[in-house]
Amino acid sequence: MAEAEFIQVGMRVAVPFGKTKIFTGLVFSIHQEEPTAYKAKEIHQILDDEPIVAVRQLKHWQWIADYYMCSLGDVLRAAIPTAFLLESETLVIKNETFQQEDILNDDEYLIYEALQHQSVLKIQEISKILNKKGVLSVINQLIDKGVVVLKEEIFQQYKPKLIKYIRLNEEYKNQESLSQLLENLTRAKKQREVILSYFSFQAQTQKPVKLKTLKEVSNASSAIINVLVEKDIFEVYTIQTDRILFDKETNGLKELSVEQNTALAQIDKSFKKFDVSLFHGITSSGKTEIYAHLIQKALDEKKQVLYLLPEIALTTQIISRLQVFFGDRISVFHSKYSINERVEVWNNLLHTKSKAQIILGARSSVLLPFSNLGLIIVDEEHETSFKQFDPSPRYHARDAAIVLAKIHQAKVLLGSATPSVESFYNTQQKKYGYIKLDRRFGNVLLPEVELVDIKEKHRKKRMNGHFSDRLLTLIQEALENKEQVILFQNRRGYSPIVECTTCGVAPQCPNCDVSLTFHKYRNELRCHYCGYHRSLPKTCPACENPTLDTKGFGTEQIEIELQGLFPEAKIGRMDLDTTRGKYGYQKIITAFQEQEIDILVGTQMLTKGLDFNNVTLVGVLNADNLLNFPDFRAHERSYQLMVQVSGRAGRAKKRGKVAIQTFNPHHQILQQVTTNSYDEMYKDQINERHIFHYPPLIRLVKITLKHKDFTKVNNASEWLGKSLKNNFHENVLGPTSPAVSRIRNLHIKTLLVKLPKNRSIKQSKQIIQNIKNSFQSIGEFRSVRFIVDVDNY
């Protein structure tokens, strides 16, 4: 290949696959060893002038692929913005300037003639025209002769944003020629006004003038400005800019309290001994201000900073808080941003631009091309949102961040008011440093937590819908004092079950083994697993009686009930249904912050580190839903969720109140929430996990099998169960059917493999990989999807 000298690790190349398809490949290594198992094909084309992926980034991706038992291609697909990836829909486009038909052979002429009628052709369409599969050589000849171009050569999927600016022509820069010009335009009053507006605006701002701004300040039409451009008085030029820009103006860092300063000193001390430290700061203790000081220190050392957040909703608030300190040195990266915006962040980071010194983002940010990383902050490190469950790679961003930091020799700070049992266990084992901050900023007291026994309230008929009389009294008091309220219900929609009171049948999803959730706002039944929806029937589909009734409740039902109970109050809802748009989170959070909403009802999005000064009451409507969940982490998660949501109350001056409605107020977890006893909760949980062999004392690998045919997936799971038990003996649980055993018409079976600490993890994974290879070599099981999830928690 002629360009062999030019190619570098990390560049994209167009690779022919099969006879008709072209895919984007990434150069992983350069060597001279010819493959023995297959014949290597020539690279079709190099797509980059310089690498778009860093060598250390590839090293990190390799670790993710090895540890989480997936392919490097899966990691690449998750990491690289899709605008960088070219796939089989390669388009062949005619070159309008080509005229020399006589130099074409028969096949080439056929394609050339087809392009006269249709300016763009797909490779599959060219195959049909020539009636043969191998058409890449013909297309290459057409490219060489200048007849056609491929889409990736002429159109990048990423389109830079160009802003039009306007300036005065050079010859009018001196006073004499300018005076002459204004005199000549005495009769063309509007044109004269545009020029005067231009000078007036430029004198005020001392900045280049945007074409759009000149139209606004001069109140002139495009036609008038175009005339001035045609006369060579003005000239229009463009400047490429990023789509997301932050203000440059910044204020100094906030003064820290005595406790915050002590914590900051302890973090610095811990970093000298440990690469990873856990910062256990109670809710509203001012962790973000401490992070800001650590970020500033890293920036002073000319290092990049990665600030990981579990929820996109959180980035909205954190951006506004950090932007005050760091201005336009922040870039944001998450899935709600457009492809073009993500490409810009990628490129800015790759070229170490000043606007990408601090990267703020969700879990996918750990896969970005850092070159000089000095600090990683994992905020709310206990959150399950950091774990990717589907599709592959099923990585945990917190653990991947720790490995990324090691590659860059950077420091990691894990921050949380309710640390995960795994992280706290690592501090006990002296693997991580540990810093505790147990006083709220401004010495505000932790909220007063009250358990409301709704079993007793039901008995005494003191419930109004899903609200106890006590919770309603507290809401009324808060509204009278012009204070805000947050109500937490971890289920969206109106009602999770619609049931016929005559025959007991509940409408089920045709694709999944789950009942349909009723959404009253659209009057439809919806499946939260596959998205299937249909309108609510007027009669029961089984017995045809008009006796359909709802069971259970979600955020939508709470919102409707509140509107009836408090007609004067402004009520908002924050769940997956109301935050679908790009700015969905921002609109709700801003409205609540500016006190346009009195009561905010929401799911667990509300629990994650949001900061509202005027919230004095938090209500948890049903704590038992969280506690009675079939998962070894249910109690830990319940404690974390309730402490976190409680922490949204009373963050400014007044002590907040929290009301938790439950049928079982004596449950140990609820008692620990009322006293904020993290250490007690940890002790109970670690003892249980020691008895039943669960993380962090062992590793878990979950294997999931999926297929449309229940018999096939059942036989496959039995075979797999026996193979695993031959190697791992009593450390294999299953095969079992999960709570929802069919999703999108695929039947599911799961097996859980426990890997003890005293056994080589690498060796154990190799055994699982060998069993997977044997499984897939059996003809009967080849079509069964085999999914491996390492550290499934």
Side-chain angles (χ1 to χ4, degrees), residues 314-362:
L314 254 179
T315 58
T316 307
Q317 264 205 344
I318 297 289
I319 290 164
S320 55
R321 287 171 73 180
L322 290 184
Q323 198 197 325
V324 174
F325 310 136
F326 304 110
D328 63 347
R329 291 187 283 179
I330 300 173
S331 285
V332 181
F333 190 89
H334 57 64
S335 59
K336 279 282 196 289
Y337 272 26
S338 72
I339 290 168
N340 286 333
E341 286 161 356
R342 279 184 270 171
V343 168
E344 281 163 8
V345 174
W346 185 284
N347 287 335
N348 289 340
L349 199 52
L350 197 65
H351 301 118
T352 58
K353 291 194 178 173
S354 61
K355 61 182 83 173
Q357 289 170 282
I358 304 164
I359 298 291
L360 193 70

Side-chain angles (χ1 to χ4, degrees), residues 615-633:
V615 174
T616 56
L617 174 66
V618 167
V620 178
L621 291 160
N622 189 349
D624 307 293
N625 270 2
L626 306 168
L627 292 163
N628 305 326
F629 199 75
D631 181 5
F632 75 93
R633 289 194 66 181

Side-chain angles (χ1 to χ4, degrees), residues 666-678:
H666 302 293
H667 196 290
Q668 67 183 43
I669 288 290
L670 295 177
Q671 293 298 322
Q672 285 157 3
V673 170
T674 58
T675 54
N676 201 36
S677 308
Y678 177 83

Side-chain angles (χ1 to χ4, degrees), residues 161-326:
K161 185 181 180 183
L162 300 171
I163 304 283
K164 284 185 179 178
Y165 284 81
I166 198 157
R167 64 187 164 209
L168 205 63
N169 209 312
E170 281 295 323
E171 65 180 275
Y172 300 111
K173 288 284 170 81
N174 63 62
Q175 195 65 43
E176 195 181 312
S177 57
L178 185 61
S179 301
Q180 184 65 48
L181 172 67
L182 291 170
E183 202 175 300
N184 294 343
L185 292 173
T186 309
R187 290 187 178 182
K189 283 185 179 177
K190 286 191 175 175
Q191 291 178 28
R192 197 168 187 272
E193 279 170 20
V194 170
I195 293 169
L196 291 170
S197 297
Y198 170 83
F199 278 109
S200 169
F201 184 76
Q202 198 182 43
Q204 284 172 21
T205 60
Q206 301 292 316
K207 288 178 181 177
V209 180
K210 288 181 185 175
L211 180 61
K212 186 182 173 186
T213 309
L214 183 61
K215 283 180 192 173
E216 288 167 3
V217 295
S218 63
N219 206 16
S221 66
S222 299
I224 294 165
I225 294 172
N226 287 343
V227 169
L228 289 166
V229 172
E230 283 164 20
K231 287 181 178 178
D232 284 338
I233 295 166
F234 276 136
E235 59 176 315
V236 174
Y237 63 102
T238 58
I239 295 178
Q240 186 177 328
T241 57
D242 283 356
R243 286 165 170 81
I244 306 288
L245 293 168
F246 295 112
D247 296 332
K248 283 188 179 178
E249 287 81 31
T250 59
N251 300 327
L253 294 172
K254 284 185 184 174
E255 280 291 317
L256 298 181
S257 68
V258 176
E259 291 81 12
Q260 286 175 315
N261 268 317
T262 307
L264 185 60
Q266 286 175 339
I267 291 168
D268 283 336
K269 189 180 172 186
S270 178
F271 277 163
K272 284 172 186 162
K273 193 178 174 186
F274 299 100
D275 290 333
V276 185
S277 291
L278 175 65
F279 181 26
H280 185 178
I282 60 167
T283 53
S284 194
S285 58
K287 292 190 287 295
T288 308
E289 276 67 38
I290 294 172
Y291 296 155
H293 280 261
L294 289 165
I295 290 168
Q296 186 60 60
K297 193 177 175 188
L299 295 182
D300 292 344
E301 293 169 2
K302 303 283 187 286
K303 298 280 190 181
Q304 295 168 325
V305 177
L306 171 60
Y307 193 132
L308 277 176
L309 290 157
E311 188 71 62
I312 296 167
L314 254 179
T315 58
T316 307
Q317 264 205 344
I318 297 289
I319 290 164
S320 55
R321 287 171 73 180
L322 290 184
Q323 198 197 325
V324 174
F325 310 136
F326 304 110

Side-chain angles (χ1 to χ4, degrees), residues 363 384 387-392 394-395 637 789 792-793:
R363 62 175 176 248
T384 48
K387 171 74 171 143
Q388 163 104 348
F389 288 103
D390 247 347
S392 181
R394 296 172 176 82
Y395 65 101
R637 283 189 185 147
D789 191 355
N792 178 260
Y793 50 80

